Amino acid sequence: MTSRISRTLLIGAAIVALTGCNKAGDSSEKSGASDNVAAAASSSQAGSPDAVESAESAAPSSIAHAASIMTMDASGNATVLRKGTNGWTCIPDSPATPGPDPMCVDTNAMKWADAWIHHKPPPQGAVGVMYMLEGGTDASNTDPYATKPTAENDWVKTGPHVMVVGSKEVLAGYPSGAKPDTSAPYVMWAGTPYAHLMVPIGKGS
């Protein structure tokens, strides 16, 4: 996967997966995220008029209206519905998850997601931001490659929030664990190279 197109597909799939896009009823036990992301990223909204609206709802309008809009199908194929001008990429909700979870990410967050999908160390000195103003769900708060909830890790549901990735320093002093208090800032995937800060916020423009 060395072409720019293939790289874009993987990055886009990784971003969708970070919203918790592993089906709760999936019996697969594959450990590699790249084996699970494509099917989970399938969106019935792909190419529909509602896709742009859903994607833009993930971030403040000042960011979302100038961002690129991208959807993914079940095979991991990306469709760019709109080319942006501000370096941000927004992806609409995936119906494979328990709740709405569109996402908008900046350039550094794209690099971080690319490292995650390839099981590589995230780039140093590249702090990224991800907006999820509609909230989101994840199969596990402790395992970056969990494919489904377990007895110990129920679906983690967080309301509107911002994710800060690529900085170990920003995590200091914040709680972590399998079942966090999602009404306050907490660390997701603590103790792994992909640990990041989840910051609940009020939804606004």
Side-chain angles (χ1 to χ4, degrees):
M1 295 287 226
T2 57
S3 71
R4 293 186 64 181
I5 294 177
S6 297
R7 186 177 179 83
T8 299
L9 293 177
L10 284 174
I11 292 173
I15 293 169
V16 176
L18 287 173
T19 69
C21 61
N22 295 301
K23 297 180 180 178
D26 188 356
S27 61
S28 172
E29 296 296 333
K30 297 176 183 177
S31 60
S34 59
D35 294 329
N36 302 298
V37 168
S42 176
S43 173
S44 62
Q45 291 183 329
S48 75
D50 294 335
V52 171
E53 181 179 357
S54 173
E56 287 189 341
S57 71
S61 58
S62 57
I63 291 174
H65 289 348
S68 295
I69 305 295
M70 183 174 70
T71 61
M72 303 289 293
D73 66 18
S75 298
N77 297 310
T79 299
V80 177
L81 302 183
R82 184 182 74 201
K83 184 174 176 59
T85 59
N86 62 0
W88 288 77
T89 300
C90 297
I91 297 176
D93 169 56
S94 170
T97 55
D101 46 19
M103 174 177 283
C104 287
V105 306
D106 66 12
T107 301
N108 282 343
M110 293 277 273
K111 296 176 182 176
W112 181 88
D114 182 55
W116 172 80
I117 198 69
H118 288 101
H119 294 244
K120 294 181 178 180
Q124 298 297 310
V127 180
V129 174
M130 304 181 178
Y131 275 99
M132 294 187 70
L133 295 187
E134 294 294 331
T137 55
D138 294 270
S140 172
N141 195 56
T142 58
D143 181 0
Y145 297 107
T147 60
K148 62 181 180 179
T150 67
E152 292 74 30
N153 291 325
D154 296 328
W155 281 102
V156 179
K157 300 178 182 179
T158 305
H161 64 277
V162 170
M163 300 162 65
V164 182
V165 303
S167 172
K168 295 180 180 179
E169 291 75 15
V170 77
L171 307 179
Y174 291 101
S176 61
K179 298 183 179 182
D181 176 2
T182 60
S183 67
Y186 66 95
V187 178
M188 177 167 278
W189 300 342
T192 77
Y194 316 105
H196 58 278
L197 187 63
M198 302 279 285
V199 184
I201 59 174
K203 183 177 180 181
S205 58

